[in-house]
Amino acid sequence: MARGRKVNSNGEKSMKLLREKAIEIFSEYGYFQTKISDIVKAANVTQPTFYLYFESKETLYKEIITEFKFNLEEIFDDTVNEYEHHQDSKVTIQVLLTRIFNYFALNPHLTKIGLTESDMSLNGILSQKFKNICEKFVSNFLNNEIASHIFVQSLIGSVERVSLSALLEENMKPEKLAEEIVNIYFSREEATVSI
Amino acid sequence: MARGRKVNSNGEKSMKLLREKAIEIFSEYGYFQTKISDIVKAANVTQPTFYLYFESKETLYKEIITEFKFNLEEIFDDTVNEYEHHQDSKVTIQVLLTRIFNYFALNPHLTKIGLTESDMSLNGILSQKFKNICEKFVSNFLNNEIASHIFVQSLIGSVERVSLSALLEENMKPEKLAEEIVNIYFSREEATVSI
Amino acid sequence: MARGRKVNSNGEKSMKLLREKAIEIFSEYGYFQTKISDIVKAANVTQPTFYLYFESKETLYKEIITEFKFNLEEIFDDTVNEYEHHQDSKVTIQVLLTRIFNYFALNPHLTKIGLTESDMSLNGILSQKFKNICEKFVSNFLNNEIASHIFVQSLIGSVERVSLSALLEENMKPEKLAEEIVNIYFSREEATVSI
Amino acid sequence: MARGRKVNSNGEKSMKLLREKAIEIFSEYGYFQTKISDIVKAANVTQPTFYLYFESKETLYKEIITEFKFNLEEIFDDTVNEYEHHQDSKVTIQVLLTRIFNYFALNPHLTKIGLTESDMSLNGILSQKFKNICEKFVSNFLNNEIASHIFVQSLIGSVERVSLSALLEENMKPEKLAEEIVNIYFSREEATVSI
DNA sequence: TATGAATGAGCATTCATTCAT
DNA sequence: GATGAATGAATGCTCATTCAT
């Protein structure tokens, strides 16, 4: 049987395809129920080809998680920098959430992996960053440190669940979701902002 | 070790021990990384003993998930029945959350399994029930159906994340957590209740 | 839970019941697919009780095979003795086959085990005996040793298959079967005998 | 031994070797006493290699049985077609038996499996076909339906037993066996044919 | 660059058998 | 005479990974 390089084959392409298929399948079946054989079948290559581009199943998975985390932090940092001098943190947060939800909507499989992967979760990635942003706002009406800690965790939980359900499963609009969450968390006395 | 019955052995006890250890180990390592051999080692019995009491690894896991779900629904239904005629749904919810958090605190391993098991999640178990309770309250200040849907999902996400982090990892008090969550979600105009 | 001797229990009875059920189940499922747990379940006792009466699964099976073989040889020897001085071996054989088929019909399960158990088969049990009987008759029209050897094997094969199919599955009459077989094998020039 | 492809390894060859060894071992020890580990040891490969070529132990066994059955039916049908217009069915049967015995002699292990596997047996495979061929001949001297049914079963039993004993164990000649069987069953008035 | 062929290491499950009561 | 509880010893099968081509 013929062996060796496939006609029209192209390393860059194979690698990208493998990663894409891996993300799809990981997101659907989870790490342990995803077999290398499934991934390569979906990418229409053989198992050794997988190892041409990735060190191992675990490495690829970690790369994917890292990519998710990296993108998320980038969105976060960019937004914060941009809005650094904005006086109303509520606005910042609504913009931030809108961008995050938009990113999630554009990368549903990657997001499902990132949010489901319990060892990581948004909590690990964003807890401190959210804390910083919320601080100013929160200190206005929350009387103590503990309350604000819980406030942030609660917010993160909301974002996680709403992302998995309303956004990814029910296809609601990112903007709408961001607005509603901000409404819940940051509308004690004022009306919602519109951006 | 010789074959046959151990001195002072007792089936009821062995089964309970196996289930307990299984819950601990499942909660720490997850379904796929938990081996029957780990469970029986922890319970100090051999593998066939496991199959004396449980049909399979999968069956046991499902039993455990079902137990969690059942207890949670029971807490929910009992509380709702008890507070059926209470006029302030905020109070009902605060009591409910307090009880749920207390149950979680008493069953940390089981809770970790239940909340981590993505296929189920609180969402699946409690979404509709929470929706019913929140409805009255929510209609007061949320103008539409979609907003209230997101409100409920957000609340569930908050409970999930706060349970996993503040409650189980940081050992915060159930009462405190319930109070704070209610403060976030149900204190538009009024002050928090104390129970 | 209560342990110890069952009310009305009786060793002799348990043992007999176990053997009977074992024969039934062995005959239906074969040695390897029959589990001790099946046998004791059918006899409504527990596994250790089995070992009270039988050394092992294998021992019981061998006992059963031996019983079959013994009975068969007894029928054979009795008949041969009885008809020792009969001049027509055709008659002897028809009587013999009738008795064998009758025994098979009365012990269908045991027979199925005995005839299916390839390591034994009628061949091992009866080959030599049949040879002796047939000899006189055979020498009349078979010219050589080899032919008579095949003649006997063929006869045994016929008895085996007819027993398993026509007798045990289709419930044909033992007498009829014996007559037909004799017709096939011993009716060169003469008419069939009637007994 | 290192992992990965062996020097000069060749899938086709491995698969064939595995099947051959499987047939040998199945025929010697039977289905239940044959372990995958025995088969792969004999073929000098490891267990996963077995599963590279066969779905399961059971599947392979069934494939083997099917192969036996298929070959046998082919011999049968070819012969019958070839001798369709021959007037003497005795000749047809003698040719047929000769060919069957030759096939058995060339495939002793496969034959042992096929004839021992009680759920199938020649009876299941050939009963109806033999019935058709014998019909013409049988009607000449057998007065009724039942007698002819038993005649066919008897013939099949003869073929089975003679194959297992005289042919495979005692290495008698296929031609000789066919001749003798025909002599027994089809020589009422005439002499045996020689082919 | 890519594949055909193979393997190391592990894991869930089964079953005959045996002790302690 | 009989049982509840337990175990030793397999055994089929899977999967990530790796060599030779």
Side-chain angles (χ1 to χ4, degrees):
Chain A
M1 233 146 264
R3 230 170 289 162
R5 185 174 185 164
K6 254 196 212 160
V7 184
N8 282 332
S9 69
N10 173 296
E12 195 65 28
K13 220 172 65 189
S14 292
M15 176 166 169
K16 216 178 145 188
L17 188 59
L18 276 167
R19 175 178 269 111
E20 269 168 26
K21 293 301 181 186
I23 290 176
E24 281 177 28
I25 301 178
F26 277 140
S27 89
E28 181 159 4
Y29 297 105
Y31 180 76
F32 292 103
Q33 274 166 303
T34 296
K35 302 179 234 159
I36 301 289
S37 62
D38 297 334
I39 297 174
V40 299
K41 211 174 292 163
N44 203 30
V45 298
T46 59
Q47 303 219 30
T49 300
F50 178 93
Y51 290 92
L52 217 55
Y53 301 110
F54 309 106
E55 226 182 37
S56 70
K57 179 184 171 185
E58 201 189 343
T59 305
L60 171 57
Y61 193 71
K62 282 185 180 158
E63 265 180 36
I64 289 171
I65 298 275
T66 302
E67 183 193 338
F68 177 72
K69 196 179 157 177
F70 178 83
N71 291 343
L72 217 52
E73 287 178 331
E74 198 176 47
I75 292 171
F76 211 108
D77 295 344
D78 288 356
T79 307
V80 169
N81 282 338
E82 212 178 307
Y83 282 73
E84 201 169 12
H85 304 300
H86 204 99
Q87 63 272 49
D88 190 353
S89 62
K90 203 196 312 181
V91 173
T92 313
I93 292 196
Q94 185 162 346
V95 171
L96 180 59
L97 291 183
T98 305
R99 289 179 178 179
I100 288 176
F101 286 139
N102 265 310
Y103 172 72
F104 286 178
L106 286 171
N107 301 277
H109 299 302
L110 182 55
T111 299
K112 178 140 184 244
I113 296 175
L115 296 188
T116 299
E117 176 55 31
S118 63
D119 292 342
M120 201 50 67
S121 86
L122 282 192
N123 205 35
I125 309 177
L126 299 181
S127 178
Q128 190 54 48
K129 290 180 189 279
F130 264 119
K131 202 165 259 169
N132 294 339
I133 302 192
C134 294
E135 216 155 54
K136 214 184 331 165
F137 180 87
V138 156
S139 60
N140 291 340
F141 66 96
L142 288 181
N143 30 11
N144 63 63
E145 173 58 29
I146 291 181
S148 97
H149 180 63
I150 295 171
F151 181 89
V152 171
Q153 278 190 9
S154 172
L155 175 58
I156 288 172
S158 296
V159 171
E160 287 174 338
R161 171 98 343 254
V162 163
S163 298
L164 286 171
S165 305
L167 182 68
L168 297 185
E169 282 175 17
E170 301 161 19
N171 296 312
M172 292 192 184
K173 290 264 165 273
E175 291 73 17
K176 176 70 178 163
L177 295 177
E179 188 190 323
E180 293 297 340
I181 298 238
V182 166
N183 250 333
I184 293 169
Y185 281 87
F186 300 94
S187 295
R188 305 290 125 171
E189 277 98 86
E190 306 117 88
T192 332
V193 296
S194 62
I195 50 171
Chain B
M1 211 169 285
R3 263 208 254 185
R5 183 176 193 158
K6 271 187 195 161
V7 183
N8 276 330
S9 69
N10 171 292
E12 197 69 26
K13 218 173 62 189
S14 294
M15 177 167 166
K16 220 177 142 186
L17 187 60
L18 276 167
R19 179 179 266 112
E20 270 168 24
K21 293 301 181 186
I23 290 176
E24 281 177 27
I25 300 177
F26 277 140
S27 90
E28 182 161 5
Y29 297 104
Y31 179 76
F32 292 103
Q33 273 166 306
T34 296
K35 319 295 174 197
I36 303 286
S37 62
D38 299 333
I39 297 173
V40 298
K41 215 173 288 163
N44 200 32
V45 296
T46 58
Q47 301 224 31
T49 301
F50 179 92
Y51 291 92
L52 211 56
Y53 301 110
F54 309 105
E55 229 183 36
S56 70
K57 177 183 164 183
E58 199 189 344
T59 306
L60 172 55
Y61 192 71
K62 282 185 180 160
E63 265 181 36
I64 289 172
I65 298 272
T66 303
E67 184 193 337
F68 176 73
K69 195 179 157 176
F70 178 82
N71 290 343
L72 216 52
E73 288 179 332
E74 198 177 45
I75 292 172
F76 210 108
D77 295 343
D78 287 358
T79 306
V80 169
N81 282 338
E82 210 177 309
Y83 282 74
E84 200 169 12
H85 303 301
H86 204 99
Q87 61 272 51
D88 190 352
S89 63
K90 203 196 314 181
V91 174
T92 312
I93 293 197
Q94 187 163 344
V95 171
L96 179 60
L97 291 183
T98 306
R99 289 179 178 179
I100 287 176
F101 287 138
N102 266 311
Y103 172 72
F104 285 178
L106 285 171
N107 300 278
H109 298 301
L110 183 55
T111 299
K112 178 137 184 247
I113 297 175
L115 295 188
T116 300
E117 174 56 30
S118 62
D119 291 343
M120 201 50 67
S121 87
L122 282 192
N123 204 35
I125 310 177
L126 299 181
S127 177
Q128 190 54 49
K129 291 181 188 279
F130 263 120
K131 203 164 259 172
N132 295 339
I133 301 192
C134 294
E135 217 154 55
K136 213 186 330 168
F137 180 85
V138 156
S139 59
N140 290 339
F141 66 96
L142 288 183
N143 29 12
N144 62 63
E145 173 57 32
I146 290 181
S148 95
H149 180 62
I150 295 171
F151 181 89
V152 171
Q153 279 191 8
S154 172
L155 174 58
I156 288 172
S158 296
V159 172
E160 286 174 339
R161 171 101 338 258
V162 163
S163 298
L164 285 171
S165 304
L167 182 69
L168 295 185
E169 281 175 17
E170 302 161 18
N171 295 313
M172 291 192 186
K173 290 264 164 273
E175 291 75 16
K176 177 70 180 162
L177 294 177
E179 189 189 322
E180 293 297 340
I181 299 239
V182 165
N183 251 332
I184 294 169
Y185 281 86
F186 301 93
S187 296
R188 306 287 126 172
E189 277 97 86
E190 306 116 87
T192 333
V193 296
S194 60
I195 52 171
Chain C
M1 235 145 265
R3 229 169 291 164
R5 185 174 185 163
K6 255 196 214 161
V7 184
N8 283 332
S9 69
N10 173 295
E12 196 66 27
K13 219 171 63 188
S14 293
M15 176 165 169
K16 217 177 144 189
L17 189 59
L18 276 167
R19 176 179 268 109
E20 269 167 25
K21 292 302 180 185
I23 291 175
E24 281 176 27
I25 301 177
F26 276 140
S27 88
E28 181 160 5
Y29 297 105
Y31 179 75
F32 292 103
Q33 275 165 303
T34 296
K35 301 179 235 158
I36 302 288
S37 62
D38 297 334
I39 298 173
V40 299
K41 212 174 290 163
N44 204 29
V45 298
T46 58
Q47 303 219 32
T49 300
F50 178 92
Y51 290 91
L52 218 55
Y53 300 111
F54 311 104
E55 225 182 39
S56 70
K57 179 184 170 184
E58 200 188 344
T59 306
L60 171 57
Y61 192 72
K62 283 185 178 157
E63 266 181 36
I64 289 171
I65 297 274
T66 303
E67 183 192 338
F68 177 72
K69 196 178 157 177
F70 177 83
N71 290 343
L72 217 53
E73 287 178 332
E74 199 177 44
I75 291 171
F76 210 108
D77 295 345
D78 288 359
T79 306
V80 169
N81 281 339
E82 211 177 306
Y83 283 74
E84 201 168 12
H85 303 301
H86 204 99
Q87 61 272 49
D88 190 353
S89 62
K90 203 197 316 182
V91 173
T92 313
I93 292 197
Q94 187 165 345
V95 171
L96 179 59
L97 291 183
T98 306
R99 290 180 178 179
I100 288 177
F101 287 139
N102 266 311
Y103 171 72
F104 286 178
L106 286 171
N107 301 276
H109 298 302
L110 184 54
T111 300
K112 177 138 186 246
I113 296 174
L115 295 188
T116 299
E117 177 53 32
S118 62
D119 293 342
M120 202 51 66
S121 87
L122 280 192
N123 203 39
I125 310 176
L126 298 181
S127 178
Q128 190 53 48
K129 291 181 187 279
F130 263 119
K131 201 165 263 169
N132 294 338
I133 302 191
C134 294
E135 219 154 52
K136 215 186 326 167
F137 179 86
V138 157
S139 61
N140 291 340
F141 66 95
L142 287 183
N143 31 11
N144 63 63
E145 171 57 32
I146 290 181
S148 96
H149 180 62
I150 295 171
F151 181 89
V152 170
Q153 279 190 8
S154 173
L155 174 57
I156 288 173
S158 296
V159 172
E160 287 173 339
R161 171 103 337 259
V162 163
S163 298
L164 285 171
S165 304
L167 183 69
L168 296 186
E169 282 174 18
E170 301 161 19
N171 297 311
M172 292 193 183
K173 289 265 164 272
E175 291 74 17
K176 176 70 179 162
L177 294 178
E179 188 190 323
E180 292 298 340
I181 298 237
V182 166
N183 249 334
I184 292 169
Y185 281 87
F186 300 95
S187 295
R188 305 290 125 173
E189 277 98 86
E190 307 117 86
T192 332
V193 297
S194 62
I195 51 171
Chain D
M1 211 168 287
R3 265 207 253 185
R5 183 176 194 159
K6 270 187 197 162
V7 184
N8 276 331
S9 69
N10 172 293
E12 198 68 27
K13 219 173 63 190
S14 295
M15 177 167 166
K16 220 177 142 185
L17 187 61
L18 276 167
R19 178 179 267 110
E20 269 167 25
K21 293 300 180 186
I23 290 175
E24 282 177 28
I25 301 177
F26 277 140
S27 90
E28 181 161 5
Y29 298 103
Y31 179 76
F32 293 104
Q33 272 165 306
T34 295
K35 319 297 173 197
I36 303 287
S37 62
D38 299 333
I39 298 173
V40 298
K41 215 174 290 163
N44 200 32
V45 295
T46 57
Q47 300 225 29
T49 300
F50 179 92
Y51 291 93
L52 210 56
Y53 300 110
F54 310 106
E55 229 182 38
S56 70
K57 178 183 166 183
E58 199 189 345
T59 306
L60 172 56
Y61 192 71
K62 283 186 179 159
E63 265 181 37
I64 289 172
I65 298 273
T66 302
E67 184 192 338
F68 177 72
K69 195 179 158 177
F70 178 83
N71 291 343
L72 216 52
E73 288 180 331
E74 198 177 45
I75 292 172
F76 210 107
D77 295 342
D78 287 358
T79 306
V80 170
N81 282 338
E82 212 176 309
Y83 283 73
E84 200 169 10
H85 303 300
H86 205 98
Q87 61 272 51
D88 190 351
S89 63
K90 203 198 312 182
V91 174
T92 313
I93 292 198
Q94 187 164 343
V95 171
L96 180 59
L97 291 182
T98 305
R99 290 179 179 179
I100 287 176
F101 287 138
N102 266 312
Y103 172 73
F104 286 177
L106 285 171
N107 300 277
H109 299 301
L110 183 54
T111 300
K112 177 139 186 247
I113 296 174
L115 295 188
T116 300
E117 175 56 29
S118 62
D119 292 343
M120 201 49 68
S121 87
L122 282 193
N123 204 35
I125 309 176
L126 299 181
S127 178
Q128 190 54 48
K129 291 182 188 280
F130 264 118
K131 202 164 261 171
N132 294 338
I133 301 193
C134 294
E135 217 154 55
K136 216 185 328 168
F137 180 86
V138 156
S139 61
N140 292 338
F141 65 96
L142 287 182
N143 31 12
N144 63 63
E145 174 57 31
I146 290 181
S148 97
H149 181 63
I150 295 171
F151 181 89
V152 171
Q153 280 190 8
S154 173
L155 174 58
I156 288 173
S158 297
V159 172
E160 286 174 338
R161 171 98 343 256
V162 163
S163 298
L164 285 171
S165 304
L167 182 70
L168 296 186
E169 282 174 18
E170 301 160 19
N171 296 311
M172 291 192 184
K173 290 266 165 268
E175 291 74 17
K176 176 70 179 160
L177 294 177
E179 190 190 322
E180 292 297 341
I181 298 240
V182 166
N183 251 333
I184 294 170
Y185 281 87
F186 300 93
S187 295
R188 305 289 125 172
E189 276 95 273
E190 306 115 87
T192 332
V193 298
S194 61
I195 52 171

